[in-house]
Amino acid sequence: MARRGDLAMTDIDEVVARLRQLPDVSGGLVELDPGIDDARMDSWPVPVPADIRMLFRSVGGIRITVRRSVVNGHTSAEHVDFTESFNNGEYLGHDVGWYLEHAGGPGSHWFVYLDHGDGHFYVDVDRETGAWGPVFQFWDATDTRRTALSLPDWLQRLGDCVHQAVAEAGTEDTNAFGAAFTDRWCEPAGAPVPVAPVRATDARTADDPVLRDTAAGLPDDALLADLRPVTGVAEVLFDLPVSCRYARRHGGAVLTAVQWDGE
């Protein structure tokens, strides 16, 4: 469970049980997508570890109704989708390869949520071990956040936000519930901690072997941000003249950015 802005590790069984409570707690405003079978997960371009498989077999996504039209009753929802089509380079008929590359290239991450403010949320996937690590968020520029230490942590907070919205607004007025939920969900718990990036040329001579190792394979003008000292949400602005391609090393503990013109 999250404590005063810290990102605490969460048990898979605990988060699945928490998610399964949400439809009843919300009076049906939250719906769970059917679980995903192993054959489908085996077809993905990233490995899916046993603990994440357990989660995805139980819940394939979460749909939270946040608005209802007073004119025609139509609803709109926030949708956390573990089968996000973004991961295959296509979304609503459009090529989204740019976003896959911006996040580090196929095989290095897995998108799970696109918010209405053009924020893109993805889980770091270690290319060498296949482990799923922290959850990151980026926009179209060179600012980014690490929002949780793991996908279960991130989902645990989603459950907390639903419970808090129900306590504040109830479930009878969809729009009131939606406002209470999104006000919490769209912003991190507690102020994000800014992390100043350093140049690869400086990191190569640092005392810290993790920084030296990370910088060794980077271009001289690349930047890296050490997220290890931050226990809460970490925010990084990479001051680059063009766009960038992100990457993560050492289990997502160090975030890197390399200049990239988007081509």
Side-chain angles (χ1 to χ4, degrees), residues 20 39 79 176 253:
R20 285 176 169 165
H79 190 202

Side-chain angles (χ1 to χ4, degrees), residues 27-111:
L29 293 175
V30 176
E31 299 176 70
L32 303 183
D33 294 341
I36 307 164
D37 62 37
D38 284 298
R40 185 168 186 185
M41 287 187 272
D42 288 341
S43 72
W44 291 352
V46 294
V48 185
D51 57 343
I52 301 297
R53 282 180 183 265
M54 186 184 306
L55 170 62
F56 288 176
R57 288 189 199 111
S58 300
V59 179
I62 306 104
R63 189 179 297 272
I64 306 103
T65 300
V66 293
R67 280 177 290 280
R68 188 182 304 276
S69 170
V70 297
V71 176
N72 55 26
H74 289 174
T75 61
S76 60
E78 300 288 352
H79 190 202
V80 174
D81 183 2
F82 301 137
T83 64
E84 183 56 67
S85 66
F86 239 71
N87 294 296
N88 296 316
E90 182 273 336
Y91 183 70
L92 300 178
H94 300 286
D95 185 303
V96 293
W98 185 91
Y99 295 92
L100 269 66
E101 291 299 330
H102 191 41
S108 71
H109 59 273
W110 191 252
F111 284 102

